[in-house]
Amino acid sequence: MQASLTGHKKEIEEKIMSISGENFYRCYQCGECSSGCPAGFEMDILPNQINANLQIGEFEKVLQSKTIWICVACFECGTRCPHNIDIARINEALRQIKIRKNMDLFNIWDVANTGEFPTVALVASFRKFTA
Ligand code: SF4
Ligand code: SF4
């Protein structure tokens, strides 16, 4: 049980890093990103706290947060970060993972079988499931 949980966490961790191209373990919590974030006052988890939570494996907490939808991808955090960590890219990766997680493959087949499903949408759905 514990082994599969660890494996699942490792899988999410690798997905976040591969989609974003960023390594959240490089964050040392200086707080520069959060102090310059124009949307921080609306967030339930500040940008530096996103990295802190990812570092300790709190992926569900981060995926459930309002922050990933509130980030406006202004790139201020990445500009201010002494380690050039781009949290806008991490938030984008988290949004993608969240959306893919909530999709149901069988519903797609139901619609596809009606013959009214645009091919491009079907291909896009498969890409989302297999990325
Ligand atoms: S990119 Fe997002 S997290 Fe970074 S400063 Fe802008 S709004 Fe804040
Ligand atoms: S500015 Fe960079 S190193 Fe500092 S807390 Fe933010 S992400 Fe981490």
Side-chain angles (χ1 to χ4, degrees), residues 33 36-40 43 47 70-78 86-88 91:
C33 50
C37 175
M43 294 175 173
I70 285 171
C71 171
V72 293
C74 68
F75 302 110
E76 179 67 17
C77 47
D86 194 338
I87 299 177
N91 283 338

Side-chain angles (χ1 to χ4, degrees), residues 36-93:
C37 175
F41 68 98
E42 288 280 0
M43 294 175 173
D44 49 357
I45 300 178
L46 289 171
N48 68 299
Q49 295 169 337
I50 290 279
N51 282 341
N53 277 286
L54 294 177
Q55 287 173 354
I56 59 170
E58 291 282 0
F59 300 115
E60 277 310 315
K61 183 174 168 187
V62 172
L63 286 169
Q64 296 298 333
S65 75
K66 287 196 300 179
T67 295
I68 62 174
W69 304 104
I70 285 171
C71 171
V72 293
C74 68
F75 302 110
E76 179 67 17
C77 47
T79 307
R80 295 170 70 99
C81 178
H83 280 185
N84 295 318
I85 300 166
D86 194 338
I87 299 177
R89 291 174 68 98
I90 292 175
N91 283 338
E92 169 61 18

